[in-house]
Amino acid sequence: MITETMSMMNFDYSETQKMVAESARDFAQQYIQPYVMEWDESQTFPIEVFKKAGELGFMGVLVPEELGGSGLGYHEYIAILEEISKVDPSIGLSVAAHNSLCTNHILSFGNEEQKQRWIPKLATAEWIGAWGLTEHNTGSDAGGMNTTAVKDGDHWVLNGAKNFITHGKSGDIAVVIARTGEKGDSHGMTAFAIEKGTPGFTSGKKENKLGMRASETAELIFSDCRIPDANRLGEIGDGFIQSMKVLDGGRISIGALSLGVAKGAYEAALQYSKERVQFGKPISQFQGVSFKLADAATEIEAAELLLHKSAFLKNEGRPVTKLGAMSKMFASEICVKIANDAVQIHGGYGYTKDFPVEKFYRDSKLCTIGEGTTEIQKLVISRNILK
């Protein structure tokens, strides 16, 4: 039985995956690479780059073709995020948030009319999507949110604020989870899609961040914001349950982002170690350096296998909560470690902005925080293994 299973396993990229990865690599080299540090220094969110990504199908990766998307699966999605993130993780982060959170929430839980209305615009990046769960006082404790939605006839009135929202200022539409019941009740929250320009819906402070600086992060503010019941996604009280399912897939995307960061930092360190000569030989020949590289190469392989196993389960429609959390946790933690080691291998040069590793180092940390901290992933994993 084991030999039969092993013979069925194929770890090669399919032709589609190869083509998609190559396309993402070319896109990143041409449209992102020349501007990485400029965008980072100025915290520019380069909307035109996302429009271009939309033309190439990278903003609606998992969306069926009949709704204007690429109709691809999670293996291809990982390949796209990985290639973009190897060049600029902050662009990878925005592509991930747009696809996995906003677009995927509407695709998974919207009715036919809602999907027809919003998905084609999102899949082509005519519209940029945002997704709002986190608040100032409720990060990991999303159930304690203060943003409320109160029914008024065939409308809902929203009051409150969301923070740390990717595309909070530039997004054309946001999927927002608001409290419609008691605090702490997992069935007391409901999801709504809110278009930019809706009265009472504004954006607040844009965050000045350590890393991922070209990915916009800002507040969403609701002040007596009236939205029609037609904008409600799914049943009343299902918002939190929907969010947890959306985050299951989102964790694969943050894992892919982490993998890109890890590979980018590792490849830069590998190249530098072969070129930098000390004591008459390349530093790659010193065990202190070569062992760091050996560890990094092994950890990258392990993270990649975990992610693609999660992708396999997701494509098959099988439960992915445990493995998605494992792959996100592992990939994000190793990307921080590898970025740290890459700076160390570069020595003093690694601390300057003339080499790419200082940016990988800054960008990497977000991966252990966003879409569920490492500690939350451990909580998810332990609950699943102790069931």
Side-chain angles (χ1 to χ4, degrees), residues 102-170:
C102 182
T103 307
N104 191 42
H105 198 131
I106 298 170
L107 188 64
S108 302
F109 301 104
N111 59 35
E112 210 44 52
E113 187 271 329
Q114 290 167 334
K115 286 193 265 196
Q116 295 291 345
R117 188 164 140 208
W118 293 313
I119 294 290
K121 289 189 169 102
L122 286 162
T124 55
E126 180 190 335
W127 281 14
I128 300 290
W131 190 77
L133 180 66
T134 301
E135 297 184 5
H136 292 272
N137 297 315
T138 59
S140 297
D141 178 19
M145 68 176 58
N146 293 314
T147 299
T148 56
V150 178
K151 192 96 192 306
D152 181 23
D154 58 357
H155 278 71
W156 292 84
V157 182
L158 268 73
N159 280 289
K162 298 286 176 182
N163 83 324
F164 297 142
I165 307 307
T166 306
H167 314 142
K169 258 187 163 52
S170 300

Side-chain angles (χ1 to χ4, degrees), residues 121-329:
K121 289 189 169 102
L122 286 162
T124 55
E126 180 190 335
W127 281 14
I128 300 290
W131 190 77
L133 180 66
T134 301
E135 297 184 5
H136 292 272
N137 297 315
T138 59
S140 297
D141 178 19
M145 68 176 58
N146 293 314
T147 299
T148 56
V150 178
K151 192 96 192 306
D152 181 23
D154 58 357
H155 278 71
W156 292 84
V157 182
L158 268 73
N159 280 289
K162 298 286 176 182
N163 83 324
F164 297 142
I165 307 307
T166 306
H167 314 142
K169 258 187 163 52
S170 300
D172 299 283
I173 184 170
V175 171
V176 175
I177 320 303
R179 195 158 54 76
T180 49
E182 293 304 309
K183 259 194 195 187
D185 176 8
S186 62
H187 292 279
M189 290 156 274
T190 304
F192 301 91
I194 309 170
E195 295 181 20
K196 193 179 200 168
T198 302
F201 175 35
T202 53
S203 56
K205 176 187 166 214
K206 179 178 167 176
E207 301 296 341
N208 184 3
K209 307 196 300 287
L210 168 74
M212 301 288 192
R213 289 166 62 84
S215 178
E216 177 189 277
T217 308
E219 286 178 310
L220 298 178
I221 298 168
F222 307 95
S223 180
D224 291 331
C225 174
R226 287 179 68 82
I227 54 165
D229 188 54
N231 284 34
R232 170 170 52 82
L233 297 166
E235 297 303 317
I236 297 169
D238 277 359
F240 184 74
I241 311 299
Q242 292 172 9
S243 299
M244 293 305 104
K245 288 178 181 165
V246 166
L247 286 170
D248 270 354
R251 283 168 186 152
I252 297 174
S253 72
I254 299 297
L257 166 66
S258 304
L259 186 63
V261 176
K263 283 190 178 182
Y266 163 73
E267 285 168 15
L270 184 67
Q271 186 185 340
Y272 182 82
S273 74
K274 291 174 181 174
E275 293 165 359
R276 172 75 165 163
V277 173
Q278 293 285 273
F279 306 103
K281 57 183 175 182
I283 62 169
S284 60
Q285 291 184 25
F286 294 103
Q287 199 178 74
V289 172
S290 65
F291 278 20
K292 275 185 169 62
L293 293 167
D295 282 343
T298 306
E299 286 156 351
I300 284 168
E301 285 287 342
E304 194 156 26
L305 285 167
L306 259 176
L307 277 163
H308 282 287
K309 187 174 178 187
S310 300
F312 167 74
L313 292 175
K314 190 78 179 146
N315 285 345
E316 294 282 311
R318 283 156 63 180
V320 76
T321 304
K322 181 183 77 174
L323 217 70
M326 284 176 168
S327 52
K328 191 270 187 192
M329 178 181 80

